[in-house]
């Protein structure tokens, strides 16, 4: 009997000891995951990240940039949520991050509108929000600490300026262009579309039709096929990312037409992914406007400045180029500034990481 009581007592003490150790190894406060290593308390900065989705090669690179920057070895606990291009899922994810009391919320807003309420909730919870890639249209800009991304209107302006030079050099009498747009309401779609519309008006191009290809290859194939049935005089297609360009090129070829040098239709694209630049090198794509996806390091800089109370820029534009398939580099002037348009080479393609 005594042995039985003794055994039970040892079991209870052991169980309690395991429980105490277990508790010390997990989140002791919602704010930070506190990891005990060799008796040293080591806390990770928790980051809730809501990503648009995985709709394009560009988006995958953007996700890699965040995952590569915010690792436990570098002092972070990254909570990654994929919204599958649905704003409702992004709002749900942000609310979950607030419940989890993360240190920072980072997100790429699938569209610009509809964020005021959830960002006010984050503000009330005193969780700084950093926005990357696309922008939010909110009444109160104090709802977010910083935005990091591209100047999408300028991307479009540069591409249209190069296209104008090509049209003049090739003495093309008439430009009949269709626009396969990105996700409607996304800052990247708004900027690139506006640039095309302004260029078409300025240069007298016929903008025959515009429809969203949702930044995906499949939807762009469907939209391009429809446009080819409706218009037999298309000679340019302005796609708002590479995956749309891939779908459009397949649809053009399936309709018995050609792209590239001396072809029926010339393609303008954006993102300058490795595959997009490979096709630009082989002249399937005429012009490709780079969109830099490497935002992780910039987000980390903002976090560091927030933590050390340094002043930071509210808006940070990432560097990016324009590429094209003609034999030598070109200089273009826009808004009093000179830009170099780079001819794509095999080594540029090989060096491309995404
Ligand atoms: C641009 C980004 C766009 C890319 C697409 O910053 O918002 O979304 O151009 C992606 O590839 O789907």
């Amino acid at each position: 009997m005594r042995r039985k009581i003794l055994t039970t007592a040892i079991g209870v003490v052991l169980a309690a000891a395991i429980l105490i150790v277990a508790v010390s190894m997990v989140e002791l406060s919602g704010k930070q995951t506190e990891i005990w290593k060799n008796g040293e308390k080591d806390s990770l900065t928790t980051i809730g990240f809501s990503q648009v989705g995985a709709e394009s090669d560009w988006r995958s690179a953007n996700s890699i940039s965040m995952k590569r920057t915010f690792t436990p070895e570098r002092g972070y606990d990254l909570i990654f949520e994929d919204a599958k291009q649905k704003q409702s899922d992004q709002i749900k994810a942000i609310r979950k991050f607030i419940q989890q009391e993360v240190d920072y919320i980072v997100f790429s807003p699938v569209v610009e509108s509809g964020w005021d309420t959830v960002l006010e909730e984050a503000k009330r919870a005193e969780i700084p929000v950093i926005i990357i890639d696309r922008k939010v249209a909110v009444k109160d800009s104090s709802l977010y600490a910083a935005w990091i991304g591209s100047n999408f209107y300028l991307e479009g302006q540069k591409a249209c300026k190069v296209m104008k030079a090509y049209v003049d050099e090739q003495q093309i009498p008439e430009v009949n262009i269709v626009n396969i747009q990105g996700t409607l309401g996304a800052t990247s779609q708004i900027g690139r579309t506006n640039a095309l519309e302004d260029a078409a008006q300025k240069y007298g191009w016929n903008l025959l039709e515009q429809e969203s290809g949702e930044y995906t290859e499949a939807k762009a194939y469907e939209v391009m096929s429809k446009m080819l049935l409706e218009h037999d005089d298309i000679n340019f297609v302005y796609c708002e990312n590479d995956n749309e360009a891939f779908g459009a090129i397949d649809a053009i070829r399936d309709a018995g037409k050609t792209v590239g040098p001396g072809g029926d239709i010339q393609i303008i694209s954006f993102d300058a992914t490795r595959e997009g630049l490979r096709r630009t090198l082989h002249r399937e794509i005429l012009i490709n406007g780079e969109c830099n996806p490497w935002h992780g390091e910039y987000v980390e800089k903002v976090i560091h400045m927030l933590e050390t109370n340094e002043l930071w820029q509210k808006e940070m534009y990432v560097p990016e180029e324009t590429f094209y398939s003609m034999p030598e580099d070109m200089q273009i002037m826009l808004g009093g500034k000179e830009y170099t348009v780079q001819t794509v080479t095999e080594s540029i393609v090989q060096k491309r990481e995404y």
Side-chain angles (χ1 to χ4, degrees):
M1 184 55 181
R2 271 170 51 83
R3 173 188 290 277
K4 202 160 171 256
I5 291 172
L6 188 60
T7 315
T8 312
I10 291 169
V12 168
V13 167
L14 260 178
I18 289 166
L19 185 66
I20 289 165
V21 169
V23 165
S24 69
M25 295 296 283
V26 294
E27 289 201 6
L28 295 180
S29 82
K31 271 305 226 189
Q32 290 190 325
T33 310
E34 295 185 335
I35 304 282
W36 292 78
K37 283 182 199 149
N38 322 316
E40 289 293 305
K41 185 172 81 174
D42 182 11
S43 64
L44 296 178
T45 300
T46 54
I47 296 174
F49 175 48
S50 169
Q51 179 58 291
V52 163
E55 73 283 1
S56 67
D57 298 2
W58 184 95
R59 185 65 56 197
S60 307
N62 185 245
S63 296
I64 289 166
S65 171
M66 290 293 289
K67 290 176 180 171
R68 181 189 287 173
T69 303
F70 299 107
T71 61
E73 298 71 33
R74 303 188 74 250
Y76 301 97
D77 176 15
L78 180 72
I79 306 166
F80 181 98
E81 294 279 351
D82 173 344
K84 299 182 182 53
Q85 296 215 81
K86 288 204 284 296
Q87 180 173 33
S88 54
D89 283 11
Q90 288 200 289
I91 291 172
K92 261 187 237 145
I94 291 170
R95 288 195 165 121
K96 201 172 103 184
F97 298 150
I98 294 170
Q99 288 303 318
Q100 290 169 303
E101 295 185 346
V102 298
D103 296 305
Y104 297 92
I105 291 171
V106 182
F107 77 113
S108 168
V110 60
V111 290
E112 288 193 344
S113 55
W115 302 102
D116 299 82
T117 304
V118 74
L119 292 184
E120 273 151 14
E121 292 166 22
K123 186 174 181 180
R124 278 200 296 278
E126 296 178 351
I127 299 175
V129 174
I130 299 167
I131 295 171
I132 63 169
D133 178 22
R134 305 174 187 176
K135 292 187 170 181
V136 293
V138 290
K139 296 181 202 66
D140 172 7
S141 65
S142 73
L143 292 176
Y144 61 93
W147 168 83
I148 295 148
S150 298
N151 182 335
F152 303 110
Y153 184 77
L154 178 62
E155 287 175 358
Q157 270 189 305
K158 291 193 283 185
C160 290
K161 188 92 179 181
V162 179
M163 188 181 138
K164 168 70 174 142
Y166 174 80
V167 166
D168 292 348
E169 181 199 0
Q170 299 292 320
Q171 296 175 338
I172 296 170
E174 192 174 58
V175 171
N176 299 312
I177 190 165
V178 293
N179 174 198
I180 302 183
Q181 298 171 292
T183 302
L184 296 181
T187 315
S188 37
Q189 176 271 313
I190 295 167
R192 291 169 188 163
T193 295
N194 287 350
L196 173 63
E197 289 171 349
D198 293 350
Q201 189 161 26
K202 181 176 177 184
Y203 301 130
W205 298 341
N206 304 317
L207 180 49
L208 303 175
E209 198 171 339
Q210 295 172 277
E211 187 172 337
S212 176
E214 294 166 12
Y215 288 127
T216 66
E217 192 166 334
K219 184 67 181 165
Y221 180 93
E222 193 189 296
V223 167
M224 188 71 242
S225 302
K226 191 163 68 69
M227 288 174 165
L228 287 162
L229 291 173
E230 289 159 2
H231 307 277
D232 59 6
D233 55 354
I234 298 168
N235 54 4
F236 285 89
V237 181
Y238 182 95
C239 299
E240 296 189 359
N241 83 330
D242 281 336
N243 297 82
E244 290 183 347
F246 306 157
I249 290 167
D250 286 349
I252 289 164
R253 285 173 171 160
D254 289 352
K257 294 200 168 197
T258 57
V259 296
D264 302 310
I265 297 177
Q266 306 306 322
I267 306 289
I268 286 86
S269 183
F270 294 90
D271 285 353
T273 58
R274 185 192 300 123
E275 179 57 17
L277 287 183
R278 192 186 64 76
R279 294 194 189 210
T280 308
L281 176 68
H282 297 293
R283 264 305 254 109
E284 292 181 48
I285 293 173
L286 177 69
I287 303 160
N288 205 323
E290 183 183 24
C291 183
N292 182 343
W294 303 124
H295 297 158
E297 58 186 282
Y298 294 90
V299 174
E300 188 174 43
K301 275 195 195 113
V302 171
I303 288 175
H304 178 73
M305 288 190 269
L306 284 167
E307 301 212 320
T308 53
N309 284 321
E310 282 174 62
L311 275 180
W312 67 92
Q313 284 165 274
K314 185 84 175 178
E315 292 201 338
M316 256 178 248
Y317 286 94
V318 292
E320 50 197 32
E321 307 282 340
T322 303
F323 296 93
Y324 79 155
S325 53
M326 304 310 280
E328 62 282 328
D329 286 1
M330 173 202 281
Q331 307 300 326
I332 54 172
M333 286 300 284
L334 270 171
K337 196 168 172 222
E338 188 174 60
Y339 297 94
T340 300
V341 180
Q342 289 191 53
T343 298
V344 180
T345 61
E346 188 59 45
S347 72
I348 288 177
V349 175
Q350 290 312 320
K351 270 188 255 159
R352 209 73 179 160
E353 205 185 336
Y354 64 99

